[in-house]
């Protein structure tokens, strides 16, 4: 028997007007399910950061969310350029966002560090020229 709820979101590249819709939808669903406010907050922050990264750096992609009584699993799968240096990208304040993105208030270099900070587990699988798959887990 499968108690999990499976959600899929299509993330459009360069669409800042819709950026954040997927994380907002998951946040709303988790609240409706009675998930603890702390877990909801962690999921909302981590997923939003990942979603924005997909809009800025990748050519869009998909976010898959599985919600079980034990945890929320988020898989962010993009078709972007990949991350050349994951350790460098994990440093707070490091950003490759262009100036026009920064002028919109994005690209401060806190996306990946915040994703790690607000999840219980995070793994990055990246291949240059192919894309990046980030798996995050928040325990309930």
């Amino acid at each position: 028997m499968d108690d999990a709820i499976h959600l899929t979101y299509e993330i459009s590249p360069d669409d800042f007007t819709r950026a954040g819709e997927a994380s907002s939808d998951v946040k709303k669903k988790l609240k409706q399910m009675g998930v603890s406010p702390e877990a909801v907050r962690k999921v909302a922050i981590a997923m939003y950061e990942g979603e924005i990264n997909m809009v800025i750096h990748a050519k869009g992609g998909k976010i898959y969310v599985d919600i079980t009584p034990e945890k929320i699993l988020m898989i962010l799968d993009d078709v972007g350029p990949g991350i050349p240096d994951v350790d460098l990208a994990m440093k707070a304040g490091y950003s490759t966002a262009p100036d026009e993105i920064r002028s919109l208030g994005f690209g401060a270099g806190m996306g990946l560090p915040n994703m790690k900070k607000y999840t219980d587990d995070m793994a990055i699988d990246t291949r240059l020229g192919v894309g990046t798959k980030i798996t995050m887990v928040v325990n309930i």
Side-chain angles (χ1 to χ4, degrees):
M1 177 150 153
D2 187 4
D3 289 347
I5 294 171
H6 307 285
L7 306 167
T8 303
Y9 300 92
E10 186 77 39
I11 308 303
S12 301
D14 301 318
D15 187 355
F16 287 96
T17 57
R18 296 189 55 221
E21 284 183 1
S23 48
S24 291
D25 187 62
V26 171
K27 180 180 177 180
K28 183 178 79 179
K29 284 179 169 60
L30 292 174
K31 281 182 172 180
Q32 290 169 345
M33 294 169 67
V35 173
S36 76
E38 179 58 20
V40 171
R41 181 175 165 271
K42 289 167 71 174
V43 167
I45 292 170
M47 194 168 149
Y48 177 79
E49 294 283 10
E51 192 175 347
I52 291 297
N53 276 356
M54 290 173 84
V55 172
I56 294 173
H57 301 289
K59 297 177 185 90
K62 290 195 177 189
I63 298 178
Y64 305 94
V65 180
D66 288 348
I67 304 166
T68 68
E70 298 80 34
K71 67 185 178 189
I72 297 114
L73 169 69
M74 298 157 278
I75 298 172
L76 289 68
D77 199 2
D78 73 47
V79 291
I83 304 170
D85 186 335
V86 172
D87 290 336
L88 186 57
M90 289 299 297
K91 289 191 187 330
Y94 175 78
S95 177
T96 58
D99 289 340
E100 65 266 18
I101 300 297
R102 291 173 187 258
S103 71
L104 296 172
F106 300 104
M110 293 307 296
L112 287 173
N114 278 339
M115 290 162 71
K116 179 126 181 96
K117 177 180 178 181
Y118 290 102
T119 56
D120 295 303
D121 189 38
M122 182 172 113
I124 300 173
D125 177 19
T126 188
R127 293 184 13 231
L128 294 181
V130 176
T132 300
K133 182 188 220 169
I134 296 180
T135 305
M136 301 184 291
V137 174
V138 171
N139 296 320
I140 296 180

